[in-house]
Amino acid sequence: MAILADITNRVRLELGDQPKLFRFNDGGDGSQKSFYVEVKPIEVATLLVKVNGVTQLNPSQYEVEPDIGVIHFKTAPALNADITVTGTAYR
């Protein structure tokens, strides 16, 4: 029996909607909590979010709105913090 992920992958393949790897970099300002990563939709299972090289945990340290490509940190990254997000997006 096929699982939902298998069906989703098959439909994307049929439509030519292939996964694309992305990398987003930004800097913290001490107050901004939400960052638009400029790609959507995001495959949440592939995300790797780091602040100053330290992996952040979902959902305890951030949340994702995958359909619009936004990462919301629970606590704003510090001033000049290096924010890196890598993962897979579609379209």
Side-chain angles (χ1 to χ4, degrees):
M1 183 170 131
I3 60 173
L4 182 58
D6 293 333
I7 295 169
T8 301
N9 289 337
R10 178 63 187 249
V11 169
R12 284 194 162 129
L13 179 64
E14 293 288 329
L15 295 174
D17 189 15
Q18 296 300 301
K20 297 166 193 75
L21 298 178
F22 73 90
R23 180 181 181 97
F24 169 80
N25 290 353
D26 205 345
D29 65 6
S31 63
Q32 181 179 350
K33 291 183 179 181
S34 297
F35 294 84
Y36 175 63
V37 299
E38 302 170 0
V39 294
K40 59 184 176 181
I42 298 169
E43 182 64 46
V44 177
T46 67
L47 278 184
L48 179 59
V49 178
K50 293 185 177 186
V51 176
N52 288 331
V54 178
T55 300
Q56 304 296 294
L57 302 175
N58 180 8
S60 63
Q61 294 173 306
Y62 72 93
E63 293 180 349
V64 181
E65 288 187 74
D67 293 333
I68 60 173
V70 176
I71 307 284
H72 301 281
F73 288 97
K74 301 286 181 154
T75 304
L79 181 64
N80 298 323
D82 179 36
I83 302 163
T84 304
V85 180
T86 57
T88 303
Y90 290 89
R91 292 192 201 129

